[in-house]
Every structure is written in structure tokens, then in C-alpha cells.
Amino acid sequence: MGDSHTWAAAPAAAEQARSVLAAAWSCAVTAEGGREEFVGAHTVTDDGRVLLDVPEDSALVAAAVCAPRGEPSAVLEFADVAPVPVRGRIRARLWLAGRLAVADGQLAFRPTRVVLRRPSGTVVVDVDEFTAAAPDPLALAEARLLTHLADCHGDAVQRLTRLVDPDSLYGAARVRPLAVDRHGLTLRIERIRDHGDVRLPFHAPADEIAQLTERVHVLLAQASATSCPRALQRQRTDGDG
């Protein structure tokens, strides 16, 4: 198929968990006092602690003060939502269980258990690995990058399907960019009744936007040297009729 990728790495679970945490804009917090949802109220420290700005009368403050020592006092939930409209936009969910403490007018949350659920399955992430990991360097720019690719370069997305196994494209009604990280680009293939994802790995990691641009250009060059998948050709012929 003309695909000569040699770099097939994907983000480790700890890195993906940190990326979800870094890019999330909202979170849900469950504690003994109930469940509360916050938008734009949290920040993340380099070691993975979550700082929450909540009202002084929030039940979370009481939960932080009254929780038995050594026991988790809250569970934080984050959703990784695809920035491009696709079927099934939740790409992953992250749960952090741990302790809340009042510090400098904020609630400081330190995770003691990390659980990541993604399409490939649910994994319990080692807390030390989670603490030591860094978010993907493209995590904060991903939404802008994918939206631009989908809205302004649909022809490039279609060209990239030449790198996909034709069997994966059979019955495809739409192909959209789903995710990008330093290791590769993921496409969502939507059919009438189902969908699937295909990952196109880069030949080397991309740690900044300039490198990402070069990696995508390499993929496009490989795609240009590959014939159009037969399944997509049939689809286009049927549509023309």
C-alpha cells in the first residue's frame, strides 16, 4: 500500500491520562456531599495534582475537612471529547480517586488511584507513573489542529485514506480526523450503522507544531504515491450514479 512507517508507538496510558487532564475544560466531582460539575474551575500542577476553585459553601469543602484520614474523599471525572463532530465523540474517560485538602483558598486534590477508559479497554494507571508523566506536547493545540484539518483540508483527509486498508473503508460514508498526538494521526471511519478508527503513525515523534506539519506532509506524500482504495472508488462511482 505504499506505507513504509517505522515508528508505530502510541501514547502510554499514563501520558494519555495526563493529556486528558491537561486538555479538559470541565470536570465532575463526586464526594460524600453529592456530585458537582465545574467548568473552567480547575488547574493542574506539574505533578498531576488538581486545584479546584469552588464556592466557600460548596459541599466539597466539608468533604475535604471531614474525610477520615487516609481514605479517598472524592472522585474526579474528566471526559476526552473529540473536537471534530463525529459519531461517538467521547474518546476516553478519566477517573481520579484521592484526597481533597483546603489550601490557600482552593481545594487541592491529590490522586491515589487513576483509571483510564478508552476504546481498547479500561486500565488502572500506576500513580507514580501518572505523577511522573507529562501531557502530550500537542494536547493543548489538538482541538485547533484537528478543526483546521477537518474544515479547511478535507481533500487532504481523503488523500490520507489511501494509506488505510481497503477493507476498513468498505461501506464508509464519511472519514474525519479524530485525534492527533506526537506519535500519529487517527481517522474515524463512519459507516451507516457503525464506525471504526484507523491510526496512521508518524515516522518519528512530533514534539512541536513545526514537526507535526512535516510528519503530516510525509504521510500525504506517501498517500499520493498510493492508488485510491478500491472500496472508496466503488463508493464514489455509486454516488455519481
Side-chain angles (χ1 to χ4, degrees):
M1 292 173 50
D3 186 353
S4 59
H5 304 309
T6 58
W7 178 265
E15 180 183 352
Q16 186 176 0
R18 290 298 300 269
S19 298
V20 172
L21 185 59
W25 179 243
S26 63
C27 70
V29 184
T30 302
E32 188 173 349
R35 177 183 172 93
E36 298 186 47
E37 297 189 5
F38 300 95
V39 176
H42 74 277
T43 56
V44 184
T45 64
D46 290 341
D47 62 359
R49 288 179 299 126
V50 181
L51 305 180
L52 291 166
D53 283 317
V54 300
E56 293 182 359
D57 59 353
S58 170
L60 295 178
V61 176
V65 173
C66 300
R69 184 175 297 277
E71 294 185 10
S73 55
V75 175
L76 276 58
E77 179 182 349
F78 301 86
D80 176 27
V81 183
V84 174
V86 292
R87 182 188 300 151
R89 292 185 71 173
I90 303 298
R91 302 180 299 187
R93 290 189 184 275
L94 175 67
W95 288 272
L96 306 177
R99 289 190 57 79
L100 285 169
V102 180
D104 299 327
Q106 292 181 305
L107 287 179
F109 176 87
R110 183 179 294 277
T112 57
R113 182 177 173 83
V114 179
V115 178
L116 177 67
R117 187 176 74 191
R118 46 193 178 178
S120 59
T122 300
V123 58
V124 177
V125 181
D126 181 83
V127 174
D128 291 336
E129 292 180 3
F130 174 81
T131 300
D136 185 273
L138 304 177
L140 296 181
E142 184 196 25
R144 172 173 56 85
L145 294 169
L146 287 181
T147 301
H148 178 75
L149 179 61
D151 293 346
C152 302
H153 299 285
D155 57 335
V157 175
Q158 290 301 316
R159 199 190 321 168
L160 288 172
T161 61
R162 298 181 182 185
L163 300 176
V164 177
D165 187 321
D167 290 341
S168 298
L169 291 170
Y170 186 79
R174 187 173 71 161
V175 179
R176 302 279 276 171
L178 177 71
V180 67
D181 54 63
R182 66 193 294 262
H183 302 292
L185 174 69
T186 301
L187 302 179
R188 166 64 54 84
I189 300 172
E190 295 184 347
R191 307 176 186 87
I192 298 300
R193 293 184 176 84
D194 62 6
H195 61 267
D197 301 333
V198 174
R199 186 170 176 81
L200 303 178
F202 299 141
H203 67 274
D207 293 326
E208 56 186 29
I209 302 299
Q211 291 179 346
L212 173 65
T213 300
E214 187 274 338
R215 305 301 188 261
V216 173
H217 284 167
V218 169
L219 289 179
L220 288 170
Q222 293 173 343
S224 296
T226 304
S227 60
C228 184
R230 292 187 298 276
L232 210 55
Q233 287 177 333
R234 288 198 297 271
Q235 175 190 333
R236 291 170 179 170
T237 301
D238 294 342
D240 291 341

